[in-house]
Amino acid sequence: RGFASYSTLGYHAKEISGSSISKAQGGKAEEGEKEALQRTHAQKETQFLSQKLSVISELMRKNLTYPYLARRMGWQGELILSFILTPSGELKEIKIEKSTGYEILDKQAKDTLLKIAKYFPRPEVEVRVRLPISFRLEGL
């Protein structure tokens, strides 16, 4: 028999004299490598969050100001701000997953995030951060 070569996404399977490695096996190997990389990424993400989320939360808490109008009107609420933090320190996909119900409070949280992000610790891999933020007036 002859010689045939197949390429599947960078993996080469060859058939020589009747013995063969199928394209499906090459694909399975690639899937295994992808899963291993995803596990490694997930482990690094989990490790970063367990070690550094409190630092990010504390920076937000120290720099977040209560908008005057919201205080005056007695507006309070909780929101969840999510974003991806890259190894270069860039923020991507900034979203308000849960709103306070007051645009002024949500905007204040987002603006504060953008202002202080340069002080965040840098992860090894892209990390999705979900940050709960609470606007509460004392004495009510």
Side-chain angles (χ1 to χ4, degrees):
R1 289 171 48 129
F3 172 85
S5 176
Y6 306 96
S7 178
T8 58
L9 300 172
Y11 284 88
H12 299 284
K14 296 180 181 179
E15 182 179 316
I16 303 172
S17 302
S19 67
S20 67
I21 300 171
S22 73
K23 287 195 262 185
Q25 288 171 322
K28 285 182 184 175
E30 183 173 282
E31 285 177 25
E33 286 181 21
K34 280 183 185 177
E35 288 173 8
L37 285 173
Q38 287 171 343
R39 277 194 301 276
T40 302
H41 182 102
Q43 289 167 343
K44 287 180 179 180
E45 188 174 22
T46 301
Q47 181 181 9
F48 177 83
L49 290 172
S50 69
Q51 294 174 352
K52 305 297 184 183
L53 183 59
S54 61
V55 173
I56 293 170
S57 294
E58 187 65 15
L59 281 167
M60 277 296 286
R61 190 187 64 73
K62 285 183 176 180
N63 289 281
L64 190 63
T65 57
Y66 216 116
Y68 175 76
L69 177 61
R71 274 187 295 139
R72 188 100 169 122
M73 299 297 291
W75 295 339
Q76 304 183 87
E78 294 179 5
L79 68 109
I80 296 177
L81 193 57
S82 77
F83 56 92
I84 293 176
L85 180 60
T86 69
S88 66
E90 179 188 356
L91 298 181
K92 298 186 337 187
E93 297 180 28
I94 301 168
K95 296 178 191 162
I96 297 190
E97 288 186 10
K98 178 186 173 232
S99 172
T100 60
Y102 300 101
E103 186 178 340
I104 192 169
L105 295 177
D106 295 349
K107 184 178 180 332
Q108 183 69 23
K110 192 173 180 179
D111 290 349
T112 301
L113 173 72
L114 293 170
K115 185 174 79 176
I116 66 167
K118 61 186 169 204
Y119 302 113
F120 290 170
R122 304 240 174 119
E124 287 183 54
V125 296
E126 287 191 352
V127 175
R128 161 113 13 229
V129 179
R130 294 183 78 236
L131 202 56
I133 298 170
S134 183
F135 285 94
R136 289 276 167 242
L137 294 169
E138 300 299 317
L140 286 182

